[in-house]
């Protein structure tokens, strides 16, 4: 149920709650994409390089793999709470600066402070706390940004805009890895650099784009029981929303299982540092990310535009899932550097299509305009939840239940299952 009263005909909704009909312009798309870019840099710089590097130095829990799983899992658990809660709070924010912009800026500042805190940690407990603090702020920022699409973009443009917004998700990985491996040469400097970039990157969007305010008369009195109850969406009442959530959860779980130990996979299975003496596994990771990003950039916007014109979101989600599963099979059976490079290309093609099309599809199954950010926050649990469950699945597999071949076959199976379940959605073609 929603935390705000539903808008029903013949009531004429205010701009903040109306279904958008005017196409957004290039400046709006560019600035929300920039905000998303720094958001994903803040996520992936630590996840891909800084946290594994830091954990390897401070771990005392019997192995770097287990310690990394604890930190990333705890951070994802925090994300699962803060994303929908911050979204629900932004849905009911009635100030003159709008519902989303205050939370975007507040979350960016808080996330940056969490990253800065991490720069000075030399113990496992400090890293764990710092990453949880960073996740809390960044997820508040993400909840507000994600709601910008259904708030402002008409349905017929959502695939294209989702494609443009999806590109920074992948480009952010590249820029973050470049910054923390080539520009900032120490772990602490890497954290501080990204911490400064996050709030700076959201300012153009917050200061130059309009965020329609919610009339105070439409904000109900606050009660803790009603607020907490509003964080639940009944699968019985909204089955399409539930199937969209499950589809994303399974596909993201496949990614989480496959990518958590990618740096260690390059070191221990591919033997990157033995193949290229004098190089680090991080260098190989950067090469893969660059290749993957190029493929995503080529396909994300194109896939979104095609889905807008065809109106066939489900078919394209299924196609993208099948393509995305193929590289996991390659990595399971052929842990060779040339094959891993080929897998990166295929993965980028599949995920590029998926990013644009699934994001557009999800906005079409939201239960109510009054709770867009909260409902998208629940959808975002399908992104962060796998970061909690992924280590639970991946850790034991890597440690003794078949190793990397079983790990990547599991990832392929989860991805294919998620791609198939999208056909349970009825309201979207």
């Amino acid at each position: 149920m929603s935390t705000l009263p539903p808008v029903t005909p013949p009531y004429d909704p205010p701009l903040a709650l109306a279904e958008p009909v005017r196409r957004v312009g290039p400046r709006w798309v560019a600035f929300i994409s920039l905000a998303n870019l720094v958001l994903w840099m803040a996520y992936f710089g630590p996840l891909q390089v800084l946290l594994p590097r830091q954990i390897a130095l401070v771990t005392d829990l019997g192995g770097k793999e287990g310690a990394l799983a604890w930190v990333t899992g705890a951070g994802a658990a925090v994300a699962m709470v803060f994303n929908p809660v911050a979204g629900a709070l932004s849905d009911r924010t009635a100030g003159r600066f709008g519902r989303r912009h205050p939370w975007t800026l507040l979350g960016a500042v808080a996330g940056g402070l969490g990253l800065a805190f991490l720069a000075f940690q030399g113990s496992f407990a400090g890293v764990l706390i710092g990453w949880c603090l960073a996740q809390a702020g960044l997820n508040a920022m993400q909840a507000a940004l994600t709601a910008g699409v259904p708030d402002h973009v008409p349905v017929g443009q959502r695939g294209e805009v989702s494609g443009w917004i999806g590109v920074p998700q992948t480009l952010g990985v590249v820029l973050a890895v470049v910054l923390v491996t080539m520009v900032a040469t120490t772990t602490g400097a890497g954290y501080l650099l990204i911490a400064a970039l996050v709030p700076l990157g959201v300012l153009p969007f917050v200061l130059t784009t309009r965020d329609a305010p919610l009339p105070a008369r439409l904000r109900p009195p606050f009660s803790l029981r009603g607020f907490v109850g509003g964080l639940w969406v009944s699968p019985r009442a909204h089955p399409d929303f539930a199937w969209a959530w499950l589809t994303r959860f399974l596909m993201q779980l496949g990614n989480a299982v496959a990518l958590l130990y990618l740096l260690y996979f390059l070191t221990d299975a591919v033997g990157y540092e033995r193949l290229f003496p004098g190089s680090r596994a991080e260098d190989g990771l950067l090469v893969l990310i660059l290749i993957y990003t190029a493929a995503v950039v080529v396909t994300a916007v194109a896939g979104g535009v095609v889905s807008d014109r065809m109106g066939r979101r489900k078919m394209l989600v299924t196609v993208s899932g099948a393509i995305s599963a193929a590289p996991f099979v390659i990595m399971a059976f052929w842990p060779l550097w040339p094959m891993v490079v080929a897998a990166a290309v295929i993965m980028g093609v599949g995920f590029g299509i998926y990013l644009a099309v699934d994001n557009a599809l999800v906005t079409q199954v939201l239960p109510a305009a009054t709770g867009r950010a909260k409902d998208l926050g629940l959808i975002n649990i399908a992104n962060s939840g796998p970061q909690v469950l992924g280590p639970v699945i991946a850790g034991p597999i890597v440690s003794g239940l078949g190793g990397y071949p079983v790990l990547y076959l599991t990832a392929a199976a989860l991805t294919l299952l998620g791609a198939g379940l999208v056909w349970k959605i009825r309201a979207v073609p």
Side-chain angles (χ1 to χ4, degrees):
M1 62 181 290
S2 174
T3 56
L4 296 177
V7 178
T8 57
Y11 178 73
D12 185 21
L15 186 59
L17 302 179
E19 185 68 21
V21 294
R22 295 183 60 184
R23 293 174 64 88
V24 294
R27 187 182 71 167
W28 191 91
V29 175
F31 285 160
I32 196 173
S33 296
L34 175 61
N36 274 278
L37 177 64
V38 294
L39 171 68
W40 293 108
M41 287 171 61
Y43 281 140
F44 285 117
L47 283 171
Q48 292 294 331
V49 177
L50 297 177
L51 284 174
R53 184 191 294 168
Q54 194 172 23
I55 286 295
L57 295 175
V58 306
T59 183
D60 55 1
L61 295 185
K64 58 187 179 182
E65 293 88 353
L68 180 61
W70 275 102
V71 171
T72 57
V78 170
M80 291 172 63
V81 174
F82 272 81
N83 208 301
V85 168
L89 290 171
S90 78
D91 283 332
R92 56 181 293 121
T93 297
R96 64 188 181 95
F97 297 109
R99 293 190 294 171
R100 314 300 182 201
H101 282 348
W103 289 94
T104 299
L105 185 57
L106 177 65
V109 172
L113 290 174
L115 293 172
F117 176 84
L118 275 166
F120 302 100
Q121 301 312 303
S123 68
F124 173 80
V127 175
L128 179 69
I129 293 170
W131 184 235
C132 288
L133 292 173
Q135 283 278 9
L138 295 173
N139 274 272
M141 172 184 168
Q142 183 181 7
L145 283 177
T146 305
V149 173
D151 279 352
H152 296 276
V153 183
V155 169
Q157 194 188 8
R158 286 182 189 172
E160 176 188 353
V161 172
S162 294
W164 285 113
I165 293 175
V167 168
Q169 180 170 341
T170 307
L171 190 60
V173 182
V174 177
L175 291 180
V177 172
V178 169
L179 287 176
V180 301
T181 58
M182 297 184 178
V183 178
T185 56
T186 67
T187 300
Y191 279 124
L192 292 174
L193 179 57
I194 295 179
L197 290 175
V198 174
L200 291 176
V202 306
L203 285 177
F205 183 64
V206 169
L207 295 179
T208 68
T209 63
R210 187 165 184 260
D211 184 19
L214 176 73
R217 59 185 172 80
L218 293 181
R219 183 178 64 186
F222 180 83
S223 74
L224 182 60
R225 181 177 180 180
F227 181 82
V228 173
L231 297 176
W232 167 254
V233 174
S234 168
R236 185 184 298 272
H238 303 282
D240 284 345
F241 181 85
W243 285 117
W245 189 96
L246 183 58
T247 294
R248 178 170 292 192
F249 180 85
L250 288 171
M251 294 190 71
Q252 294 291 355
L253 181 59
N255 276 329
V257 166
L259 300 181
L260 177 63
Y261 295 128
L262 183 56
L263 184 62
Y264 302 154
F265 173 73
L266 291 178
T267 301
D268 302 331
V270 176
Y272 184 86
E273 293 174 352
R274 295 192 304 271
L275 291 172
F276 304 98
S279 298
R280 301 176 301 166
E282 287 91 343
D283 300 328
L285 180 64
L286 179 57
V287 170
L288 295 179
I289 290 172
L290 287 170
I291 294 170
Y292 167 83
T293 300
V296 169
V297 170
V298 169
T299 57
V301 178
V305 171
V306 169
S307 76
D308 283 341
R309 293 180 179 177
M310 292 176 57
R312 302 286 301 277
R313 312 278 196 205
K314 291 187 294 190
M315 181 188 71
L316 289 172
V317 168
T318 301
V319 169
S320 70
I323 296 172
S324 298
F328 300 148
V329 176
I330 292 173
M331 294 166 71
F333 290 109
W334 300 284
L336 307 171
W337 176 245
M339 300 303 291
V340 175
V341 170
V345 175
I346 300 170
M347 191 183 303
V349 171
F351 200 65
I353 299 171
Y354 173 75
L355 275 176
V357 180
D358 189 65
N359 284 338
L361 181 150
V362 163
T363 65
Q364 293 178 241
V365 297
L366 299 179
T370 51
R372 287 171 182 151
K374 179 264 296 180
D375 294 332
L376 285 170
L378 294 175
I379 289 288
N380 282 333
I381 291 178
N383 296 329
S384 54
Q387 305 304 319
V388 177
L389 187 57
V392 176
I393 296 173
I397 292 175
V398 171
S399 299
L401 298 179
Y404 288 112
V406 173
L407 179 76
Y408 288 116
L409 289 177
T410 301
L414 291 167
T415 302
L416 289 173
L417 179 59
L421 289 179
V422 74
W423 290 96
K424 291 288 189 176
I425 297 172
R426 301 299 183 191
V428 180

